[in-house]
Amino acid sequence: MGMKEKIIEQLRYVIDPELGINVVDLGLIYDITVNEGNVSILMTLTTPGCPLHDSIVGGVKRALLDIEGIKDVDVQITWNPPWTPERMSEEALRQLGHR
Amino acid sequence: MLTTHQTYETNIRLPFSFILFGTVAFLFSQMMFLFSGPQMVIGAFRIPSVWAAVHLTVLGWALMVAMGAMYQLVPVAFLTPIWNETVGFIQFLVTALGILSFSASLALKMQMAFFPGLLLTFGFVLFFLQMFMTLRKQAKKNIMTLFVGTALVCLLLTIGLGVTLTFHFWSGTETLDHLLVLKTHVLFGIFGWFTLLIIGFSYKMVPMFSLAHGFSMKLARYVYIVYISGLIVSFFGFFKKYEALFPIGMSLLFVGFALFAYHMFTILQTRVKKKLDRPFLFALLAIGIALFLHGAALFCSFSKNVPIFNILIYAYIFGWIILSIIGYLYKIVPFLWWTHRYSKKIGKENVPTLKQMMNEKWTVVQCSLFVASFIGVLLALIVSSLPLFYIAQGGMLLFSLLFAGSIISVLLK
């Protein structure tokens, strides 16, 4: 398994506690860059002014620093493009009562 | 591409200090209402014990909780950190002491309420300064800023008018027409401060809790314009003693609120979260109750029936303001405690979801008890039934105890 796949799997442990859905299935992760153990995550949140902003960003950092070989994690939040429900996985939609 | 590393969380002790104080104040205020039953059922609302109970409810509970929630919500909703947390703690102590001494003074020696009123005013000024300095830093102002900013101006006016009333009691002289000041104090206090604040934050919380997306915010500016016009026209009706203006003011308030209710409905139609959390549904029920009460106030504005307005004010405070706050608090308190206990553990170990922080079925039982008690008290006031009042107000007191228990239970998670 490559480093990016490992990162994605690890990010599935970071749950949005309001929705009970992980950040990958919610479609919050926009980009992952790995450069000699330094990881850069570009992600969003479901809404600007999300009260869980700091918790989720901190959770992403802590989760990834647990992976062997990762020295540093930089998480950047962007609102452009904004998150849309279309980014959610089938599983996430099902958990929210769709279908 | 705009990115950010900014953090917005407030020290949890600050909002919790306000919320815990509010919860205890609510319990005591409901006891005071219970003992005021014989006077209330005969329409005597302007008596010391009722004034004390109303102010302990409105200031001790609703205002303190609103302030606590603002210390938590303003940084996250407006993406702006709180200006100065130390000032926040000082403000809490001053305001808490002010409310306790002011309520006690209203009940025991009303002539002296002017002095604790000044202490209370100092607490509000500190809060106003805190919010002004915080909102001033907000990079991009929006319609919520306008609602919350105007609500704060109304709060300041309400306080100024309240202090004027207590000055009248103390000095025995009237600097302004006492009845005009009293009516305007109530108008700006409950329609201005609380309603504008709840509307403003609803524009953040309703889409957030329902995961609504792709809705238009255009209607919000019309809600603001019409509602503010209603406040201004009603005020001029009082000021100029031109009674024909009052129904026009009430019509504008009703239309403004109806637009808001419709806007909330359209926002909810775009929600991704199909099954909404139960306590949040009670906050939405409060919008329906408020719409009905705005309509009832419009209908009654054509008559000069003062007792019915006293009952409407009671209904507005409990059915709209307090029920909204309760509905949102069932979401806010678990969030605050979760942030304190589990925020640093997310991504490291399994953490509970916010829903698991509070027994949802139990919150439904409590909210249902609140609504039933509220309706019971209203009926008791309308038909002047003391036994019914005692039963219903007893239910309200039981609710306040259970609610305090629920808040404490979250702190044990």
Side-chain angles (χ1 to χ4, degrees), chain B residues 158-288:
Chain B
T158 307
I159 295 156
L161 293 161
V163 170
T164 307
L165 289 170
T166 57
F167 178 76
H168 291 175
F169 292 132
W170 175 64
S171 65
T173 55
E174 288 193 11
T175 50
L176 293 164
D177 176 4
H178 192 78
L179 201 57
L180 161 72
V181 178
L182 178 64
K183 283 178 179 175
T184 315
H185 175 68
V186 174
L187 179 76
F188 285 143
I190 64 170
F191 287 94
W193 155 243
F194 278 116
T195 298
L196 290 176
L197 185 75
I198 298 172
I199 288 177
F201 279 115
S202 294
Y203 276 118
K204 184 75 211 173
M205 291 193 282
V206 169
M208 196 167 71
F209 291 143
S210 62
L211 209 56
H213 267 268
F215 54 86
S216 165
M217 279 297 287
K218 270 185 188 168
L219 201 53
R221 76 181 73 151
Y222 298 105
V223 172
Y224 180 83
I225 292 166
V226 178
Y227 206 83
I228 294 295
S229 305
L231 283 175
I232 294 169
V233 170
S234 300
F235 167 70
F236 273 103
F238 295 154
F239 188 66
K240 294 282 179 192
K241 291 192 172 64
Y242 187 46
E243 286 174 5
L245 277 182
F246 187 53
I248 298 171
M250 288 292 122
S251 305
L252 288 165
L253 290 176
F254 172 68
V255 173
F257 200 88
L259 286 173
F260 163 69
Y262 173 71
H263 199 186
M264 287 293 117
F265 174 73
T266 60
I267 288 173
L268 284 169
Q269 281 190 318
T270 68
R271 73 184 192 273
V272 181
K273 196 173 178 179
K274 292 295 170 198
K275 196 180 173 201
L276 298 172
D277 294 344
R278 303 284 180 82
F280 175 53
L281 287 175
F282 280 92
L284 297 177
L285 171 66
I287 296 176

Side-chain angles (χ1 to χ4, degrees), chain A residues 78-89:
Chain A
T78 182
W79 308 113
N80 187 22
W83 177 85
T84 61
E86 289 72 35
R87 297 189 60 86
M88 284 195 289
S89 70

Side-chain angles (χ1 to χ4, degrees), chain B residues 328-404:
Chain B
Y328 286 130
L329 261 196
Y330 279 128
K331 300 283 294 179
I332 291 170
V333 169
F335 161 72
L336 282 172
W337 194 246
W338 184 95
T339 307
H340 175 64
R341 281 280 269 121
Y342 300 106
S343 184
K344 299 279 186 285
K345 294 179 180 174
I346 188 170
K348 280 291 233 192
E349 57 186 81
N350 281 336
V351 293
T353 61
L354 296 181
K355 221 172 171 178
Q356 290 166 332
M357 298 291 286
M358 200 180 254
N359 185 332
E360 198 179 48
K361 281 182 185 162
W362 191 224
T363 63
V364 174
V365 171
Q366 289 178 20
C367 284
S368 304
L369 174 64
F370 176 90
V371 173
S373 304
F374 160 67
I375 293 169
V377 171
L378 274 187
L379 285 176
L381 295 177
I382 292 166
V383 302
S384 298
S385 166
L386 190 56
L388 178 57
F389 179 87
Y390 280 139
I391 293 167
Q393 187 57 32
M396 194 62 91
L397 183 59
L398 177 63
F399 164 80
S400 64
L401 267 170
L402 296 174
F403 182 77

